[in-house]
Amino acid sequence: MNVHDSEKVIGTLVQEGYRQVESVEQADLVLYNTCSIRDKAEQKVFNRLSDYKKYKKQGKTFGVLGCVAQQEGEKIFERAPYVSLVAGSASYRNLPQMLRQLEEAAVAREIPRPADEDAGLRDDASVGMSPGNTRGSGLATRDSGLVRITGLDDRETDKCFETEFTARSNPHRGYITIIEGCDKFCAYCVVPYTRGKERSRTSESVLAEARQMADLGYTEIQLLGQNVNSYKDPAGNSSARKTFAELLAAVGEVPGIRRVRFTTSHPRDFGRDIVDAIDAVPALCDHVHLPVQSGSTRVLDAMQRLYTREQYLERIAWMKAAKREISITTDVIVGFPGETESDFAQTLDLLDEVGYDAVFAFKYSPRPNTPSLKLDDAIPDTEKARRLEVLMARQREIQIERYKKYVGTQCEVMVEGRNEARSQWIGRTTHNKTLNFTAPQTANPKPGAYVRVTVTNSFPNSLLGELVV
Ligand code: 5AD
Ligand code: SF4
């Protein structure tokens, strides 16, 4: 999600006449995108910002974007006074305006602006903003002569960050954000407070972007949202309005698009129609990431996840009844406040029952502003670490068994690149598994190509094979 946000921000800046450079040393303007989902994210950000301090003397301008920016707000200016811009993701659509404010501040300080292509901004602590420029998309203030622009007040917006141009780094597989924000308010999660309320793009706009990507040669699209399947088409005309499953199918039917993925789905909004769409449209990948978080209904309730273990398993049953085998992956949090041994045992049992192809497991980490911060019964870190280890060991055994059954079969992969050290090509299956393979020297498969591979060996997290020639 954050990677794609950066692609959209870069695209927006390029449209404004900026040019992307390789390193901080070469840049005049440095924007630092941040995530605060777990751990001590804030601390990491402040540490990194203090590394940037030395560049300030060289006249570089700094901005902090993303969830830590939204969460810490103006505290960032206090702790890192050389930062000039702090903006959360709900304000990104105002970035051009905010950047113009920064530039105007530079002009007001009579700093000659470099030629547009490598436009950079310089700050000069001795000159502030010119009158009339103190309010725009964000709020610009002058404090001790420093320029400070904030984009922090847009979390209630209905508008999405639609970009005319997105600087996608992969020429074959690209992301499209279809819904921003989150209204679920799980007890442990910071996202609703940092990314703002749920808002969807029109299906028309999403499909136009998908067609444009197909025209540019993309063959794989990944639809993104914190809660991708809570998508609600805001199209004015009700006959044009699409459900999430309909949009998914429509993207899968765009000529030239061979693979469509979507992440992350919330079990509460996961309807059978999504499985029906996967059944009906071959381009929809045989993979669903459906975070469960816990196998205990009691803990799910404390987490405010809005479903029970049984309801979650019902959705798994729909997927298992699909025409194609759907690979299922999940996220789990261990050590949520009050999680007993018996709750944890239910999570382990759920892993066996579902048979996931990958599990992303995390130790519960208390996050600012979240309701679970106030819960008693914190689990000691050593115990969280033990549970995490037990869970990962169990899942490793499950994956060893699950990956083994591919040996001897043929899979189609999209070629992602080459591992020179191992003389192997790297491929990805529709199940989202890494399948590394060897090929005769004459074959030379190109990144982005779709080829067939015979699986010859399996590991807990990947497969090995030979190109079918
Ligand atoms: N502590 C630990 N894990 C968390 N996640 C989200 N918030 C927290 C938290 N406070 C995990 C969830 C989510 C994934 C993206 O990150 O498992 O699905
Ligand atoms: Fe966070 Fe829950 Fe929203 Fe996912 S659904 S982003 S875990 S609040």
Side-chain angles (χ1 to χ4, degrees), residues 37-38 188-189 291 293 331-333 362-367:
I37 192 94
R38 288 178 297 271
Y188 52 81
C189 185
Q293 313 299 2
D331 293 346
V332 172
I333 297 176
F362 311 101
K363 290 190 282 181
Y364 167 72
S365 89
R367 302 281 63 220

Side-chain angles (χ1 to χ4, degrees), residues 36-39 187-191 226 264 289 291-293 305 330-334 360-367 370 372:
S36 69
I37 192 94
R38 288 178 297 271
D39 301 326
Y188 52 81
C189 185
V190 80
V191 167
Q226 299 295 333
T264 295
H289 183 65
V292 66
Q293 313 299 2
R305 284 291 287 178
T330 201
D331 293 346
V332 172
I333 297 176
V334 296
F360 302 89
F362 311 101
K363 290 190 282 181
Y364 167 72
S365 89
R367 302 281 63 220
T370 58
S372 63

Side-chain angles (χ1 to χ4, degrees), residues 319-369:
M319 285 189 263
K320 289 195 172 170
K323 289 186 193 148
R324 291 180 272 163
E325 190 197 348
I326 297 179
S327 165
I328 307 167
T329 57
T330 201
D331 293 346
V332 172
I333 297 176
V334 296
F336 187 75
E339 183 190 65
T340 61
E341 262 307 319
S342 129
D343 292 320
F344 178 59
Q346 289 184 55
T347 302
L348 293 179
D349 174 73
L350 186 104
L351 299 189
D352 291 334
E353 189 162 347
V354 176
Y356 292 108
D357 279 338
V359 172
F360 302 89
F362 311 101
K363 290 190 282 181
Y364 167 72
S365 89
R367 302 281 63 220
N369 307 316

Side-chain angles (χ1 to χ4, degrees), residues 289-310:
H289 183 65
L290 197 65
V292 66
Q293 313 299 2
S294 169
S296 151
T297 296
R298 205 185 65 80
V299 174
L300 289 172
D301 189 45
M303 287 177 165
Q304 298 169 33
R305 284 291 287 178
L306 312 173
Y307 55 86
T308 61
R309 175 190 172 99
E310 288 67 35

Side-chain angles (χ1 to χ4, degrees), residues 104-232:
E104 281 162 17
V107 172
R109 286 170 302 183
E110 296 177 57
I111 295 170
R113 206 179 151 223
D116 244 1
E117 317 78 74
D118 61 348
L121 300 162
R122 284 193 274 157
D123 205 354
D124 177 343
S126 65
V127 190
M129 303 283 295
S130 58
N133 286 336
T134 52
R135 252 196 190 279
S137 50
L139 184 65
T141 56
R142 178 156 54 118
D143 184 1
S144 328
L146 295 169
V147 176
R148 290 175 170 185
I149 307 223
T150 55
L152 299 169
D153 301 326
D154 282 319
R155 283 174 296 174
E156 290 299 312
T157 184
D158 289 324
K159 298 208 176 78
C160 289
F161 179 35
E162 303 245 1
T163 49
E164 268 176 65
F165 173 66
T166 300
R168 293 193 166 87
S169 50
N170 182 316
H172 314 292
R173 177 190 327 128
Y175 301 111
I176 302 182
T177 302
I178 65 165
I179 173 169
E180 296 179 33
C182 179
D183 287 344
K184 288 285 189 290
F185 290 91
C186 301
Y188 52 81
C189 185
V190 80
V191 167
Y193 308 93
T194 56
R195 286 190 174 264
K197 72 174 192 174
E198 229 166 66
R199 51 212 186 268
S200 300
R201 289 171 63 186
T202 62
S203 54
E204 201 185 329
S205 146
V206 172
L207 282 166
E209 189 167 355
R211 286 187 206 108
Q212 193 187 37
M213 285 171 69
D215 288 346
L216 290 168
Y218 286 87
T219 58
E220 181 173 323
I221 287 179
Q222 185 160 349
L223 302 181
L224 290 182
Q226 299 295 333
N227 249 309
V228 75
N229 58 329
S230 310
Y231 175 82
K232 274 176 211 71

Side-chain angles (χ1 to χ4, degrees), residues 393-411:
R394 173 80 69 103
Q395 179 56 26
R396 194 181 147 86
E397 295 307 313
I398 293 170
Q399 275 175 228
I400 288 173
E401 287 307 311
R402 290 192 59 79
Y403 278 54
K404 240 188 222 169
K405 67 180 195 312
Y406 288 92
V407 175
T409 66
Q410 268 193 21
C411 297

